[in-house]
Amino acid sequence: MSENAKIDYTTFEATVERSRKLDEDLVKNPDKYRVLTGDRPTGRLHIGHLFGSIQNRVRLQRLGVETFIVIADYQVLTDRDSFDSISDNVIQLAIDYMAAGIAPDNGKTFIFPHSHVPELNQLVLPFLTLVTNAELDRNPTVKEEILASGQKKINAGMYIYPVHQAADILFCKGNVVPVGKDQLPHLELTRVIARRFNDRFAARKPVFPEPQPLLSQSPLIMGLDGSQKMSKSRNNAIMLSATEDETANLIKKAKTDADRLIEYDLQKRPEIANLLLIASLCLGRAPEEIAREIGNGGAGALKKMLTESINEYLRPMRKKRLELESNMDYIRQLIKNGVQKARQIGSETLEEVREVMNMKI
């Protein structure tokens, strides 16, 4: 692809097929791959994160795939005025990961905040020379994030967010990135940056892989309002760290409808369907089956079942979370271990980059 060619965001069907084949090969050949995934530390995790991404990370970990989980703390600064809770959010994020089954003490899984890995951030500058303003302007994910932030003035950090994300992925030569459909434009830009870097500076021996997307198979979890994606900022989420009573009170306030017969119909009854979907993920049963069981029991019976199923499902995680919170030194040490590993690999990558760019002294 030439440097002036447009980035193609339109080949979703082909991406789905490539992701399916990749998933099959991950099972057979886990040692071929290095996964890079992560989150911004904007607050504690909720059940949407659990079913949407965390469980898949645990699955990959069990397969034996080396996994780097970046806590993107610098990126919080791009669309939020508050920074006083970032450090605590990093710790709480790590605790949520571990309570859900992520094991950063297994020698193959590493959790780290990218602000502590200067070698990673040094890649941003050369990467910026490989993309144009027009390409950043066209990135649909950036447009959506700018709109969602509600900012009237857009800082440069927000604008180059996809380039920084490319550095997050490529510093460790990650070749698999679990994503949802809405994140594909970011990843495609990372692939373009890797390709252009190799073409310009390392044609004989490429430095960076072109990371492949592993599309999430999990359904989108809507918030308890039934109309928006689950999010702490929208006050429509059930946090993994919530108590059983807090969970019950949140579900009591969940939006439903006036029809007493409970049916799973995503189009006509989205609020009821969303609650049934969450229950089905906790119970391991089809939402249609749960709906038939409740029948004419109405929203009250549905909410009662949902409360019981969520609390039962999260009980072991919440117990583990309390245990982890009692040993904060252990949590911090595991994060420091992750930083140490990330810096080691980042230093090796940066040396290669300097070599091919003729910047070694």
Side-chain angles (χ1 to χ4, degrees):
M1 177 175 179
S2 70
E3 293 188 9
N4 295 322
K6 288 187 177 181
I7 297 170
D8 184 5
Y9 299 127
T10 62
T11 57
F12 182 64
E13 292 75 14
T15 301
V16 170
E17 180 59 20
R18 286 196 302 270
S19 175
R20 184 189 65 78
K21 291 179 179 177
L22 173 61
D23 207 5
E24 290 177 354
D25 199 48
L26 279 161
V27 175
K28 298 174 184 176
N29 301 293
D31 291 338
K32 285 172 49 179
Y33 299 101
R34 176 178 284 166
V35 167
L36 189 289
T37 184
D39 301 281
R40 298 198 306 167
T42 56
R44 300 187 183 195
L45 299 180
H46 51 67
I47 61 171
H49 295 117
L50 178 66
F51 294 120
S53 61
I54 305 301
Q55 286 185 335
N56 191 43
R57 296 176 192 175
V58 173
R59 180 183 73 91
L60 293 170
Q61 176 182 272
R62 288 174 179 160
L63 290 174
V65 181
E66 189 176 40
T67 302
F68 284 76
I69 302 177
V70 59
I71 301 179
D73 49 350
Y74 271 150
Q75 290 179 358
V76 175
L77 304 177
T78 63
D79 64 350
R80 293 169 190 265
D81 293 329
S82 175
F83 59 89
D84 54 355
S85 60
I86 292 178
S87 180
D88 181 62
N89 285 346
V90 168
I91 298 294
Q92 295 301 326
L93 206 55
I95 293 174
D96 277 337
Y97 289 151
M98 295 169 67
I102 297 296
D105 54 357
N106 69 357
K108 299 198 79 170
T109 302
F110 307 96
I111 300 172
F112 64 96
H114 65 187
S115 68
H116 287 249
V117 186
E119 296 82 3
L120 178 163
N121 292 292
Q122 278 188 258
L123 294 176
V124 174
L125 280 174
F127 285 179
L128 281 170
T129 69
L130 299 171
V131 296
T132 66
N133 287 344
E135 287 168 339
L136 293 176
D137 284 337
R138 283 197 297 270
N139 189 301
T141 312
V142 170
K143 291 179 181 178
E144 290 168 10
E145 287 169 352
I146 289 173
L147 185 64
S149 74
Q151 295 179 100
K152 294 181 179 178
K153 295 182 179 179
I154 307 306
N155 62 61
M158 169 68 85
Y159 191 67
I160 67 166
Y161 178 98
V163 181
H164 197 175
Q165 192 171 74
D168 286 338
I169 296 167
L170 295 176
F171 94 97
C172 66
K173 301 188 179 181
N175 56 7
V176 175
V177 182
V179 292
K181 182 179 180 180
D182 60 330
Q183 298 165 311
L184 284 173
H186 273 352
L187 185 56
E188 186 58 28
L189 186 61
T190 298
R191 288 168 51 79
V192 166
I193 287 172
R195 194 177 314 139
R196 289 178 181 171
F197 185 95
N198 292 335
D199 288 346
R200 179 180 290 184
F201 302 112
R204 293 182 181 178
K205 185 181 178 182
V207 172
F208 296 113
E210 294 183 28
Q212 300 295 318
L214 183 65
L215 286 167
S216 172
Q217 301 300 313
S218 301
L220 177 65
I221 306 296
M222 304 300 286
L224 296 177
D225 53 10
S227 60
Q228 302 179 88
K229 186 177 178 180
M230 187 172 283
S231 168
K232 180 183 178 182
S233 63
R234 297 185 180 118
N235 297 312
N236 65 0
I238 298 173
M239 313 310 292
L240 301 183
S241 57
T243 66
E244 295 195 4
D245 286 343
E246 287 170 343
T247 299
N249 288 332
L250 285 166
I251 293 172
K252 283 180 183 176
K253 300 174 184 177
K255 187 176 180 181
T256 55
D257 57 39
D259 194 335
R260 187 161 185 81
L261 178 65
I262 299 300
E263 297 175 294
Y264 183 69
D265 190 326
L266 283 168
Q267 301 303 317
K268 296 180 180 178
R269 304 182 67 186
E271 297 93 350
I272 293 292
N274 187 54
L275 299 185
L276 286 167
L277 175 60
I278 297 171
S280 76
L281 291 168
C282 293
L283 295 170
R285 297 164 55 195
E288 295 87 350
E289 179 187 341
I290 297 171
R292 287 193 297 270
E293 183 177 314
I294 297 172
N296 284 304
L302 171 58
K303 289 181 178 182
K304 182 175 184 297
M305 174 181 277
L306 180 58
T307 300
E308 291 172 353
S309 63
I310 289 179
N311 281 334
E312 180 67 25
Y313 191 82
L314 294 182
R315 196 166 288 137
M317 295 182 211
R318 287 167 170 169
K319 181 181 178 182
K320 178 72 178 293
R321 201 182 200 288
L322 289 173
E323 293 171 359
L324 291 166
E325 284 182 317
S326 68
N327 194 352
M328 299 299 281
D329 288 342
Y330 173 67
I331 302 299
R332 289 189 173 91
Q333 187 58 53
L334 287 174
I335 296 173
K336 288 178 182 177
N337 292 347
V339 168
Q340 183 179 15
K341 181 67 173 181
R343 291 203 65 184
Q344 174 196 330
I345 290 180
S347 180
E348 293 169 0
T349 301
L350 190 57
E351 279 300 296
E352 285 187 72
V353 166
R354 286 176 178 149
E355 179 78 38
V356 300
M357 292 177 66
N358 296 313
M359 290 183 176
K360 291 194 73 172
I361 56 172

